[in-house]
Amino acid sequence: MLKKLYHQFASPKTYVVLVDKIYPIIFYTSLITYVFALIWGLAFAPSDYMQGNSYRIIYMHVPASFLSESLYIAMAIAAAIFLIWKVKLAAYIIKAIAPIGALVAFLALVSGSIWGIPTWGTWWQWDARVTSTLILFIMYLGLISLHSSFTNYEKADKFISVLVLIGSVNIPIIKKSVDWWNTLHQPASITLTDKPSIDPSMLYPLFLSMLGFSGLIICLVILSSKVQIFNREGNKTWVKYHV
């Protein structure tokens, strides 16, 4: 029974059928949530007593930074699943996430640079958090390039999965960089152990922006993963009927 369920939910066909059903719900809910959060945060949240209105970029920067790391963690989980249980869907997911992760990491870097001009007095600083995030962005680009350089998909999937797991060491470095080194980047305003240091009038739209932005990025991953599945499973009968 468990083996049957395992093979069923690891099936690309089952995955496509499932995401086709939930995609509209995720997309429209996330879009409405993110637009509402942006309007709330940009137009109605008060100015920061130190940063003025420049802090409002957090409604883009914080979700992008969070997702740039979360997407890599998702890739690492998929890599482990592929290497241990040989689930080919996991390999498709890795390749689908990589370009989305690169895009989100780029948004995090750009929005952080814009924030840095009024806050630090410079658009770029070789700060520990900024540098480790730049490395994450380069890792995403490297994984995309390396996978495309292989002619044998199976070898590419194994090689990239190993590299993803090795590269995951950078995620805790990004997370703890502001604690381990003397850095210009401010410490986290929201943690699991302490009360948030940000005012609720700014915090609530930030939470909503993270939820909405995350949902929209999940939708991009769904679309990207379907492209990978159709490319790799194109000779299957169910793909021809589905497309």
Side-chain angles (χ1 to χ4, degrees):
M1 182 66 177
L2 289 176
K3 187 176 181 180
K4 182 179 179 181
L5 288 173
Y6 165 78
H7 284 290
Q8 180 181 353
F9 287 102
S11 164
K13 179 181 178 180
T14 303
Y15 171 83
V16 170
V17 171
L18 176 62
V19 297
D20 279 350
K21 291 179 180 178
I22 65 175
Y23 178 87
I25 299 172
I26 298 175
F27 177 75
Y28 289 111
T29 302
S30 301
L31 181 62
I32 293 171
T33 301
Y34 192 52
V35 170
F36 177 75
L38 287 180
I39 294 173
W40 185 356
L42 297 179
F44 296 101
S47 299
D48 184 77
Y49 76 100
M50 291 183 64
Q51 300 182 41
N53 287 317
S54 65
Y55 88 92
R56 298 182 193 277
I57 203 168
I58 65 173
Y59 302 113
M60 167 60 74
H61 177 68
V62 173
S65 299
F66 171 74
L67 263 295
S68 66
E69 300 169 40
S70 299
L71 287 173
Y72 198 94
I73 293 173
M75 287 175 60
I77 294 172
I81 291 173
F82 175 73
L83 292 173
I84 296 172
W85 291 292
K86 311 300 181 185
V87 177
K88 59 182 179 180
L89 176 61
Y92 302 163
I93 296 294
I94 294 172
K95 191 174 181 183
I97 289 177
I100 311 300
L103 172 63
V104 175
F106 179 76
L107 289 176
L109 289 169
V110 170
S111 58
S113 295
I114 295 172
W115 193 0
I117 294 172
T119 306
W120 299 341
T122 179
W123 69 275
W124 185 265
Q125 180 72 32
W126 290 102
D127 171 270
R129 173 65 61 82
V130 176
T131 303
S132 53
T133 302
L134 175 62
I135 292 172
L136 178 63
F137 173 63
I138 295 172
M139 286 166 54
Y140 277 124
L141 295 181
L143 291 170
I144 297 168
S145 177
L146 282 171
H147 199 288
S148 300
S149 67
F150 279 82
T151 55
N152 186 307
Y153 282 135
E154 292 185 4
K155 289 184 178 179
D157 292 337
K158 292 179 182 179
F159 184 65
I160 295 302
S161 295
V162 172
L163 287 183
V164 167
L165 290 176
I166 294 173
S168 63
V169 70
N170 189 45
I171 301 302
I173 292 175
I174 296 174
K175 182 66 177 177
K176 301 298 291 184
S177 57
V178 294
D179 301 320
W180 291 345
W181 294 288
N182 184 21
T183 173
L184 287 175
H185 198 287
Q186 67 186 60
S189 300
I190 306 171
T191 64
L192 295 175
T193 56
D194 300 318
K195 183 179 179 181
S197 60
I198 183 172
D199 187 83
S201 60
M202 304 172 182
L203 178 64
Y204 297 150
L206 178 58
F207 272 136
L208 288 177
S209 70
M210 293 179 70
L211 287 173
F213 190 83
S214 297
L216 293 175
I217 295 302
I218 288 172
C219 288
L220 284 180
V221 172
I222 288 174
L223 294 176
S224 180
S225 62
K226 287 179 64 178
V227 170
Q228 294 302 321
I229 289 171
F230 293 156
N231 285 341
R232 299 282 291 271
E233 302 278 320
N235 59 334
K236 302 292 180 63
T237 304
W238 72 267
V239 172
K240 297 176 182 177
Y241 282 109
H242 189 88
V243 175

